[in-house]
Amino acid sequence: PMTKPALLTTLAGGLLVAVIAGLLFAPVSGAARPSGRPLRDHVQSPSFLAGPNLRIHPGPVTQTEPFIVRHPLNDSILFVAANTINFSTGFISEGIYGSSDGGSGWYGSDTCSGAPIQFHRGDPGITIDKDGVFILTRLGFSPGLYAHSSTDRGATWSAQKQVASNDQDRADVATDGDPASLHFGTTYASWVRFASPYPVFVAATTDGGVAWGAPIQVNNPSQRSQGANLATGRSGVLYVCWAGVT
C-alpha cells in the first residue's frame, strides 16, 4: 500500500474516517514511534500512536461515508464499506474492501457484486459475524432494506435478501461476538422507518444473512426518531439508541 496524506485519523484506539478522493487506513498501537520513521507518518499522544496512512483502494469513483469493522474473534480480518458513486454515469454501489493482515494490505472493489447490481443505492451497514461471514445491508431504487452476505471475505456476494419493504434510513448493523452469549453469532440491523411516527425497527439473522426475521418495532415516539444505532453487550443484551428530533 502507498503512504498518503492523512485522510484517516485514529482516536483513543478507534478509527475515525474522512475521505477525500479515496479511502485510507491508519493502524494504531500503544508502542512508541519507531526510530528513523518520518514524523509525518505518525501521530503520537500520551495514550496512542497512529501509524502511516495507507491508501485502501484508489479508484475512478467518488467514495464517501466509509465504515470499518473487524472480525469478533480475529483482529487480523477487517472489512470496510463506503458509498461509491460515478457522477459521470450516475451508477451507485457500495465499495467492498478487506484486509486479512490487520490493515497492512488491502483488496477489494468499488462495486458490490451481489445481484441485482443495478439496483444498489448505497448507504451500507456492515459487520463480520463469528464465522467470518461479511454481512452488508443497503438501500435500493425502490423502498426497502436489502442485505447481502459473503463467505469468502468479500470476493463474491449473495443475491439480495429483502429485510424490510418500507422506506427507511440507512441501517446500522452489529453482531453478537461474545462466545458466552446465548445469542452468539446473531446479527442485527436497526433503522428508522420514514413514515409517521418515524419509529425504530430491528431485524435479526441467525444464519449469516441467509434469512432475516420479521422486523420488530422498538418504540412509538412522540418525536421523530433519527439515527438508530446498535451495540451488543454481555449475555446477549442488545442496545439500541436513537435521537428524538422535531
Side-chain angles (χ1 to χ4, degrees), residues 1-211:
M2 299 172 61
T3 300
K4 294 290 183 178
L7 300 188
L8 181 153
T9 187
T10 53
L11 297 173
L15 292 169
L16 175 65
V17 181
V19 176
I20 303 175
L23 299 177
L24 288 89
F25 170 84
V28 169
S29 72
R33 180 169 67 89
S35 60
R37 291 288 189 90
L39 182 61
R40 67 178 181 275
D41 285 350
H42 295 81
V43 179
Q44 192 168 10
S45 81
S47 60
F48 70 91
L49 171 69
N53 300 158
L54 306 174
R55 179 77 68 180
I56 289 179
H57 190 82
V61 302
T62 298
Q63 302 159 326
T64 68
E65 301 180 18
F67 294 88
I68 187 169
V69 294
R70 66 168 178 82
H71 192 303
L73 305 177
N74 186 342
D75 290 348
S76 295
I77 300 174
L78 303 173
F79 174 25
V80 170
N83 292 323
T84 50
I85 307 168
N86 188 323
F87 285 104
S88 298
T89 64
F91 180 74
I92 301 173
S93 189
E94 305 80 36
I96 303 297
Y97 319 106
S99 175
S100 298
D101 58 8
S104 295
W106 290 88
Y107 60 88
S109 170
D110 286 327
T111 302
C112 177
S113 61
I117 293 177
Q118 296 296 330
F119 188 71
H120 291 226
R121 196 164 66 85
D123 274 352
I126 59 172
T127 195
I128 306 173
D129 78 1
K130 67 178 179 63
D131 297 317
V133 177
F134 285 19
I135 298 174
L136 175 145
T137 63
R138 59 163 177 83
L139 302 183
F141 279 96
S142 64
L145 180 68
Y146 304 89
H148 302 270
S149 59
S150 172
T151 58
D152 52 13
R153 300 182 185 176
T156 60
W157 289 85
S158 70
Q160 71 180 19
K161 310 288 185 180
Q162 188 165 23
V163 181
S165 58
N166 301 89
D167 193 15
Q168 68 274 312
D169 200 0
R170 174 205 295 271
D172 187 41
V173 182
T175 196
D176 189 334
D178 181 3
S181 169
L182 294 175
H183 304 290
F184 180 43
T186 298
T187 293
Y188 305 91
S190 69
W191 64 91
V192 174
R193 178 178 291 179
F194 286 158
S196 182
Y198 297 92
V200 174
F201 280 80
V202 172
T205 175
T206 59
D207 55 11
V210 175

